[in-house]
């Protein structure tokens, strides 16, 4: 119950099924969160082999979930489970540190944990009046309030347009600059009051969610981190290894799809002499996997989730 209070894992069975887990394999959970996916991966590895799981998370709150799971705590004690307190963008460095040459599968659930949205102190949700922090790793980087206070108008407009896909991005940015000249924007309520005139009432919640998403992506450099993770996965996955990724918004989904189909974030197609697309992956599911009705009923936050699975090509390994 404690694990579910932190975060309910999305597409749990489908995403772990996609890894085709072996008792002797080496696996990575790039987004530990509440530990739901990691627990299922360790359970499927069993006790009879030499398999290992490395789970990444940069948030101190997530690390505490290891000890709340008897399964993970025991696997950690025996060396079958290793928690890495770091951003997943450093995957390749950490695998080298642990003397791991290749991994047999990598899972990434790119969604923000339910815990972050429900934490009144972190500023991830407009449901609470809280300090505008939004950092996944509270030990480093600048806060959302600092972004709003220091970025110029053009840069703010780019963030809201590119990461939030908001048509009123320029007007919103201008309003923020005007507001901060009069008083600092320090809390979620300060932020909402500055931009509220630009949101129509019938779409207010959806557009405000996009605005908060855009600011969060910038604060945590999420798109850069994802690009680096996907590039690292291409290098560390063993031939035949599986990549299982859950996305939630169009920006990250497009990047994941491009990497899986072409081997690069932009989707540039490189062909051989015969016109065949040269890619390091083979798609396992050509049609994107979405949550079943039962899951949507139990966990409404999974409604935008999309799962893509690819296998590292043997011939390019």
């Amino acid at each position: 119950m404690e694990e579910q209070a932190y975060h309910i894992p999305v597409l749990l069975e489908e995403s772990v099924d996609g890894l085709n887990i072996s008792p002797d394999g080496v696996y990575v959970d790039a987004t530990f969160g509440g530990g739901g996916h990691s627990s299922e991966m360790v359970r499927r590895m069993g006790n009879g082999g030499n398999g290992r799981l490395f789970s990444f998370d940069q948030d101190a709150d997530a690390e505490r979930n290891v000890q709340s799971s008897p399964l993970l705590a025991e696997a950690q004690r025996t060396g079958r489970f290793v928690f890495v307190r770091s951003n997943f963008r450093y995957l390749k460095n950490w695998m080298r540190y642990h003397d791991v040459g290749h991994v047999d599968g990598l899972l990434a659930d790119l969604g923000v944990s339910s815990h972050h949205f429900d934490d009144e102190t972190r500023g991830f949700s407009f449901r609470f009046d809280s300090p505008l922090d939004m950092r996944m790793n509270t030990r480093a980087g600048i806060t959302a309030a600092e972004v709003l206070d220091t970025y110029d108008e053009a840069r703010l407009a780019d963030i809201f347009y590119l990461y939030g896909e908001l048509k009123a991005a320029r007007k919103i940015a201008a309003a923020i600059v005007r507001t901060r000249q009069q008083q600092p924007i320090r809390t979620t309520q300060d932020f909402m009051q500055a931009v509220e005139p630009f949101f129509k009432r019938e779409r207010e919640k959806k557009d405000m969610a996009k605005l908060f998403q855009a600011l969060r992506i910038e604060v945590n450099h999420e798109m850069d981190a994802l690009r680096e993770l996907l590039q690292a996965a291409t290098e560390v996955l063993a031939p035949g290894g599986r990549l299982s990724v859950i996305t939630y918004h169009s920006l990250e989904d497009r990047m994941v799809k491009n990497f899986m189909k072409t081997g690069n974030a932009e989707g540039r197609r490189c062909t051989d002499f015969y016109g065949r697309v040269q890619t390091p992956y083979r798609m396992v599911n050509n049609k994107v996997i979405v949550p079943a009705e039962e899951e949507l009923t139990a966990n409404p936050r999974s409604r935008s989730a999309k799962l893509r699975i690819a296998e590292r090509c043997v011939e390019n390994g």
Side-chain angles (χ1 to χ4, degrees):
M1 294 296 292
E2 189 173 342
E3 177 184 283
Q4 288 195 353
Y6 186 100
H7 181 69
I8 302 173
V10 173
L11 288 164
L12 177 63
E13 296 294 329
E14 297 90 337
S15 61
V16 179
D17 283 347
L19 295 176
N20 203 17
I21 286 179
S22 162
D24 294 312
V26 178
Y27 299 93
V28 170
D29 179 357
T31 48
F32 180 75
H37 290 102
S38 286
S39 295
E40 181 63 15
M41 291 164 75
V42 167
R43 187 187 70 78
R44 296 197 190 191
M45 284 162 56
N47 297 315
N50 296 313
R52 284 192 295 169
L53 172 65
F54 295 86
S55 291
F56 286 70
D57 207 298
Q58 58 187 328
D59 197 321
D61 291 349
E63 187 172 8
R64 287 190 279 271
N65 290 322
V66 176
Q67 297 308 315
S68 68
S69 166
L71 177 65
L72 292 178
E74 174 60 19
Q76 187 178 53
R77 187 187 67 80
T78 59
R80 293 182 299 116
F81 172 75
V82 178
F83 182 87
V84 181
R85 174 92 182 271
S86 175
N87 190 304
F88 56 52
R89 70 194 306 172
Y90 304 116
L91 168 69
K92 196 164 65 170
N93 291 344
W94 280 104
M95 292 298 94
R96 188 182 300 121
Y97 174 81
H98 286 285
D99 199 27
V100 174
H102 290 93
V103 303
D104 298 292
L106 184 149
L107 186 148
D109 178 2
L110 301 176
V112 178
S113 170
S114 307
H115 168 75
H116 291 122
F117 285 126
D118 294 337
D119 188 340
E120 300 182 23
T121 67
R122 302 281 290 273
F124 284 95
S125 173
F126 53 83
R127 290 181 294 142
F128 313 110
D129 186 16
S130 58
L132 273 171
D133 191 316
M134 291 194 185
R135 290 173 299 167
M136 298 290 189
N137 180 4
T138 55
R139 301 177 298 176
I142 65 173
T143 67
E146 290 171 313
V147 168
L148 296 177
D149 186 51
T150 60
Y151 282 23
D152 63 33
E153 185 176 322
R155 193 174 178 187
L156 287 171
D158 286 345
I159 290 168
F160 300 142
Y161 182 75
L162 293 174
Y163 298 156
E165 300 178 297
L166 291 164
K167 294 179 180 178
R170 292 189 182 279
K171 294 179 180 178
I172 292 169
I176 289 169
V177 171
R178 286 196 303 270
T179 300
R180 76 189 188 192
Q181 290 172 346
Q182 304 298 322
Q183 61 184 39
I185 301 173
R186 294 285 180 262
T187 69
T188 53
Q189 284 299 314
D190 293 340
F191 186 30
M192 291 172 65
Q193 287 172 7
V195 303
E196 201 168 21
F198 304 101
F199 295 99
K200 295 179 180 179
R201 187 162 299 278
E202 63 271 17
R203 287 189 52 85
E204 186 176 17
K205 287 187 177 180
K206 286 187 177 181
D207 286 342
M208 197 68 77
K210 289 182 176 182
L211 184 66
F212 272 65
Q213 169 188 290
L215 188 54
R216 187 201 77 228
I217 289 173
E218 174 64 19
V219 167
N220 295 287
H221 306 290
E222 291 179 29
M223 300 311 295
D224 291 335
L226 176 57
R227 183 191 301 265
E228 291 177 37
L229 171 69
L230 294 170
Q231 183 59 53
T234 302
E235 297 176 36
V236 303
L237 275 172
R242 295 287 186 89
L243 178 61
S244 180
V245 185
I246 303 169
T247 63
Y248 293 84
H249 59 77
S250 59
L251 297 175
E252 60 191 16
D253 186 59
R254 188 180 308 122
M255 186 180 292
V256 170
K257 180 173 66 175
N258 285 344
F259 253 99
M260 288 184 172
K261 291 192 172 183
T262 67
N264 61 78
E266 297 73 27
R268 295 189 309 271
R269 291 176 174 265
C270 298
T271 57
D272 61 14
F273 179 78
Y274 299 100
R276 295 173 299 196
V277 176
Q278 297 291 93
T279 172
Y281 292 109
R282 176 189 68 84
M283 296 300 298
V284 173
N285 61 309
N286 288 315
K287 185 178 180 181
V288 70
I289 299 171
V290 297
E293 282 298 324
E294 296 79 10
E295 178 171 348
L296 291 172
T297 301
N299 183 17
R301 280 181 172 151
S302 68
R303 63 183 176 273
S304 58
K306 295 180 180 179
L307 171 64
R308 298 182 187 275
I309 306 164
E311 182 176 278
R312 188 75 164 85
C313 291
V314 175
E315 60 269 28
N316 291 333

